Amino acid sequence: MKKTVVAYAALPPSCIARLAQTFDLRDFTGQSGLSRKPAFATALAEAEGVIGAGLLWDRTRIEACPKLRVVSTVTVGYDLYDVEALTERRILLCNTPDVLTESVADLSLALMLSCARRIGELERMVRSGHWKRSVDAPEFGSDVYGKTLGIIGMGRIGAAVVRRAALGFGMRVLYDARSDKPQVERDYGAQRRSLDDLLRESDFVCVLAPLTPETENLLGAREFALMKPTAFLINVARGKVIDESALAVALRERRIAGAGLDVFVREPLAVDSPLMSLDNVVLVPHIGSATHETRQAMADMATDNLIAALTGGEPRAMVNPQVR
């Protein structure tokens, strides 16, 4: 008898086909408002495995799934999952690290360049018909080449950003992390700094730290005051790592030069957010992994993880491997 698996959120047809071949698949992909649908709750109560993204897995939802053995998230981050509750129930949580590293690193550099050269602002000027003369000092941007980049959180993505920044743009790189990173120091001349010193010295500050109780609101009014007035903030990590209200004030009052944001405290970003009215911020809708190649690779890895975990194999990535 095939094991019951529930799929939700977006999965490509190739992954759905693989799951349907292996399991008794209950397919809720592409559907919204799942938390309010009795059929979804009924399916979860029978499921031994689930695969998806974007749904809160708190203790209440976990306890409503008595047969559950494996949760496979089509994400790297797992802040929507109560890992302690999953582990207590001996439910394995799998995620998809590595496969989005290069895409997120690309976006980090894209946001740096967009902020420094005022791409969004000047593109809007052209589209609105206000380009009437050769650009002059009021429209000038800032160089990226040769500047100092400070990275908060030096994991796989941080190392990929360092490689691009040091080799492609001749940037001096500083980083703040829980431990020394000898390889990026050796290969690219990166230097570890305290957070305060990194903020003081950097021309670009790129946030790549995961969301944890220690990193929530890591950067607020105090930290923005330490940054250079010519510096730019880039966040491709999690919205809650930054005090968004304090950032809006710092941008509006030009305490820092600008920001490039892919993530927000609440998503989608509200139309009345104070960030919306600011010219010196580039806003994109959480697209760090949003390429055809990367999303397919993430879905493939999540599918591999689930199939392996429920058929006696070894998943490619496990958040709480101790349950096995």
Side-chain angles (χ1 to χ4, degrees):
M1 185 174 178
K2 290 184 176 181
K3 296 178 172 67
T4 299
V5 161
V6 171
Y8 64 94
L11 284 174
S14 59
C15 294
I16 293 295
R18 290 177 61 201
L19 293 168
Q21 185 177 22
T22 309
F23 305 112
D24 174 15
L25 179 64
R26 312 294 172 84
D27 184 5
F28 291 86
T29 57
Q31 298 186 33
S32 60
L34 290 176
S35 296
R36 301 186 300 273
K37 293 186 175 181
F40 184 62
T42 299
L44 289 181
E46 296 297 320
E48 292 186 55
V50 298
I51 181 170
L55 189 66
L56 177 65
W57 281 85
D58 56 12
R59 189 173 292 271
T60 300
R61 174 162 280 128
I62 293 165
E63 290 175 351
C65 303
K67 299 180 181 180
L68 192 59
R69 292 173 50 199
V70 181
V71 175
S72 184
T73 177
V74 194
T75 61
V76 176
Y78 44 88
D79 44 285
L80 290 177
Y81 299 83
D82 188 331
V83 179
E84 181 179 353
L86 289 168
T87 303
E88 287 175 6
R89 282 273 315 280
R90 303 196 64 78
I91 297 169
L92 181 66
L93 175 61
C94 301
N95 67 334
T96 61
D98 296 331
V99 292
L100 52 63
T101 296
E102 302 300 336
S103 295
V104 177
D106 283 350
L107 180 64
S108 301
L109 268 294
L111 287 173
M112 287 169 55
L113 290 164
S114 295
C115 289
R117 299 305 302 268
R118 300 169 63 180
I119 298 298
E121 181 183 353
L122 297 178
E123 196 261 359
R124 291 190 294 273
M125 182 184 78
V126 173
R127 284 185 180 275
S128 66
H130 291 138
W131 183 27
K132 304 294 187 183
R133 54 173 175 75
S134 297
V135 297
D136 207 339
E139 294 82 40
F140 287 173
S142 303
D143 281 336
V144 175
Y145 187 86
K147 294 295 182 67
T148 296
L149 169 63
I151 296 180
I152 301 174
M154 184 57 74
R156 299 178 187 89
I157 298 171
V161 172
V162 171
R163 186 174 72 249
R164 287 160 171 75
L167 300 183
F169 292 89
M171 300 185 83
R172 170 179 176 247
V173 179
L174 311 177
Y175 72 94
D176 171 60
R178 288 176 291 184
S179 60
D180 289 338
K181 306 296 178 182
Q183 186 167 348
V184 295
E185 293 180 7
R186 181 177 61 251
D187 293 348
Y188 309 112
Q191 303 169 42
R192 189 180 178 193
R193 290 284 193 275
S194 69
L195 177 59
D196 284 3
D197 286 343
L198 179 149
L199 295 171
R200 291 187 184 100
E201 295 183 49
S202 298
D203 299 300
F204 297 86
V205 174
C206 186
V207 182
L208 294 166
L211 179 63
T212 67
E214 292 74 30
T215 62
E216 186 167 354
N217 287 327
L218 179 68
L219 301 183
R222 173 190 171 276
E223 288 71 29
F224 299 137
L226 294 175
M227 293 174 63
K228 300 176 182 179
T230 54
F232 299 90
L233 177 72
I234 308 299
N235 187 12
V236 294
R238 285 291 184 267
K240 290 183 179 179
V241 175
I242 289 175
D243 181 336
E244 217 166 77
S245 297
L247 174 61
V249 171
L251 290 166
R252 185 171 59 249
E253 297 182 356
R254 304 283 171 167
R255 298 178 191 175
I256 63 174
L261 307 176
D262 183 44
V263 290
F264 306 92
V265 173
R266 291 182 179 83
E267 299 179 358
L269 184 65
V271 294
D272 60 351
S273 166
L275 295 170
M276 290 286 202
S277 62
L278 301 172
D279 284 334
N280 58 339
V281 58
V282 176
L283 308 170
V284 291
H286 203 151
I287 60 170
S289 65
T291 69
H292 294 292
E293 300 89 343
T294 296
R295 287 292 175 86
Q296 180 70 53
M298 292 171 68
D300 286 339
M301 185 172 184
T303 302
D304 291 344
N305 285 337
L306 184 60
I307 291 173
L310 287 177
T311 60
E314 185 74 7
R316 293 167 60 186
M318 297 173 281
V319 175
N320 56 345
Q322 65 270 29
V323 305
R324 291 172 64 85

